[in-house]
Amino acid sequence: MTVISVVPGDGVGAEVVPEALRVLDDLGLGLEYDVLGHVNAGTYLDSGTALTDDDVERIRRSDAALFGAIGDPRVTTPDYARGVLLRLRFELDLYVNHRPVSLPDERLSPLKDVKRGAIDCVVVRENSEGLYAGIGGALRQSTSHEVALDVEVNTHSGVSRILDYAFGIARSEVCMVDKSNAVPNGGRLWQRCWADARRRYPEVAVRHLYVDAAAMRLVSDPAGFDVIVTNNSYGDILSDLAAELGGGIGIAASVNLNPATGFGLYEPVHGSAPDLAGRGVANPVAAVLCAALMIDNLGHAAEAEAVRAAVARTVAAGRCTPDLGGSLGTEEAGAAIRAELR
């Protein structure tokens, strides 16, 4: 039995995750769900803890986790999100953030003259180090002499393994993005690991871009990328840019993955969207595509491709939520995808 941990979370997460589960149920894969419905901002506000040690172990024991969103306007501290998402990333060593981008319909891209399917790439973001490692501090806080430090962490093992992952999934090319001309210490480490990786994978074409040039090239020629690999903060930014070019974060899926264990936390990119929560108009596509990515990695490639094709057909036909140009609500959009699957 394949067990999936399900964490709907906050805001629209609790609305779109059920649609993804309904799609999975229609596929008849025999999945079992362990729903952690209490992991949310309400629990955090009541107890000061949203994710307990027991919750982490329940998730660890499952085969994969399907996540909704974390974030609530009532919570003003970053400790909540860090205590859920970053805790799972670090404790389960989910060192890969894998974000595929594929344009399902040309009308969705802000770029002119981009054809459907022309944008088809993956941004691979190092997920356990960099500026998000939480190392740093502040001196003389809340004064005019305040000093704040956030330390970027790069390790040889961490950089090497994210590069290995990127080369392992490449179809044609890996583009490594850094800022080694301005950030010398981490830059030298990335460049040395990059040179080693290129020797390990001589059959894969390679390209190196500084992050500012990569951002410009994504806009001018997004179809020219296959796999982009970069550090935590640059990957955060570039993957959002790529997602917008590919139709917006409402259809952007991602997985936080440990390739060694095979465990993945599958998470829509759009967040909790409190302005949309409770209105019944949240777009379920990203959650559904997360479910497709999940079953693909669990060995159900044909079913995953069928889900992606059904999503593309419903979006192209305008059977979708208002953010994609349709008029359907969340549940209606989910039902349209399931009808297309049948």
Side-chain angles (χ1 to χ4, degrees):
M1 176 68 71
T2 301
V3 178
I4 308 300
S5 295
V6 180
V7 184
D10 300 313
V12 299
E15 301 173 39
V16 298
V17 165
E19 297 308 314
L21 297 182
R22 292 183 181 111
V23 169
L24 291 176
D25 287 341
D26 274 15
L27 295 173
L29 300 177
L31 305 176
E32 181 178 313
Y33 307 128
D34 179 18
V35 181
L36 287 80
H38 60 280
V39 179
N40 54 43
T43 299
Y44 177 78
L45 290 169
D46 289 341
S47 67
T49 302
L51 192 69
T52 66
D53 293 345
D54 180 64
D55 295 331
V56 174
E57 287 309 307
R58 282 173 62 181
I59 294 171
R60 191 193 304 271
R61 289 194 299 268
S62 65
D63 296 283
L66 185 61
F67 201 83
I70 285 292
D72 188 296
R74 296 174 296 168
V75 181
T76 58
T77 170
D79 295 342
Y80 167 49
R82 292 185 66 88
V84 179
L85 273 179
L86 293 191
R87 181 179 180 185
L88 289 171
R89 289 176 186 174
F90 289 129
E91 292 198 21
L92 303 181
D93 199 19
L94 306 178
Y95 65 87
V96 171
N97 184 258
H98 174 118
R99 286 180 58 168
V101 180
S102 181
L103 179 63
D105 192 272
E106 50 264 32
R107 65 184 171 80
L108 301 180
S109 179
L111 300 178
K112 294 185 294 184
D113 302 323
V114 178
K115 299 302 182 185
R116 174 183 172 183
I119 302 173
D120 186 12
C121 66
V122 176
V123 179
V124 174
R125 164 188 171 191
E126 201 293 315
N127 212 28
S128 63
E129 299 183 347
L131 282 171
Y132 297 0
I135 296 177
L139 178 66
R140 295 188 290 272
Q141 283 183 283
S142 303
T143 75
S144 59
H145 301 287
E146 182 170 355
V147 178
L149 297 175
D150 290 291
V151 179
E152 183 178 37
V153 178
N154 298 282
T155 68
H156 188 279
S157 60
V159 176
S160 296
R161 67 183 184 175
I162 198 69
L163 292 175
D164 279 337
Y165 178 80
F167 275 97
I169 66 167
R171 295 164 299 182
S172 59
E173 180 196 74
V174 175
C175 177
M176 195 273 280
V177 174
D178 67 6
K179 193 62 177 172
S180 54
N181 59 334
V183 185
N185 297 312
R188 277 192 293 268
L189 177 56
W190 274 82
Q191 286 292 328
R192 188 166 68 252
C193 293
W194 174 238
D196 291 342
R198 288 161 59 188
R199 285 190 287 269
R200 289 196 297 273
Y201 302 92
E203 72 284 1
V204 180
V206 296
R207 182 168 33 149
H208 167 255
L209 291 172
Y210 297 132
V211 64
D212 45 355
M216 291 188 293
R217 194 67 60 83
L218 264 173
V219 174
S220 64
D221 184 25
F225 289 95
D226 177 22
V227 175
I228 299 169
V229 60
T230 188
N231 69 18
N232 210 332
S233 54
Y234 298 158
D236 194 357
I237 297 165
L238 291 177
S239 57
D240 276 359
L241 172 58
E244 186 64 22
L245 299 177
I249 60 173
I251 61 173
S254 75
V255 56
N256 304 285
L257 180 67
N258 183 319
T261 64
F263 185 87
L265 177 85
Y266 296 81
E267 173 192 6
V269 174
H270 53 59
S272 59
D275 57 320
L276 298 178
R279 295 168 49 192
V281 297
N283 188 349
V285 164
V288 171
L289 291 178
C290 281
L293 187 57
M294 179 179 71
I295 60 173
D296 201 346
N297 287 345
L298 290 173
H300 303 286
E303 291 85 350
E305 186 52 40
V307 172
R308 295 187 188 103
V311 167
R313 289 193 296 270
T314 56
V315 170
R319 299 196 304 276
C320 48
T321 48
D323 59 307
L324 299 182
S327 60
L328 301 184
T330 305
E331 293 185 1
E332 294 171 310
I337 294 170
R338 298 196 305 276
E340 195 66 40
L341 265 177
R342 302 187 194 109

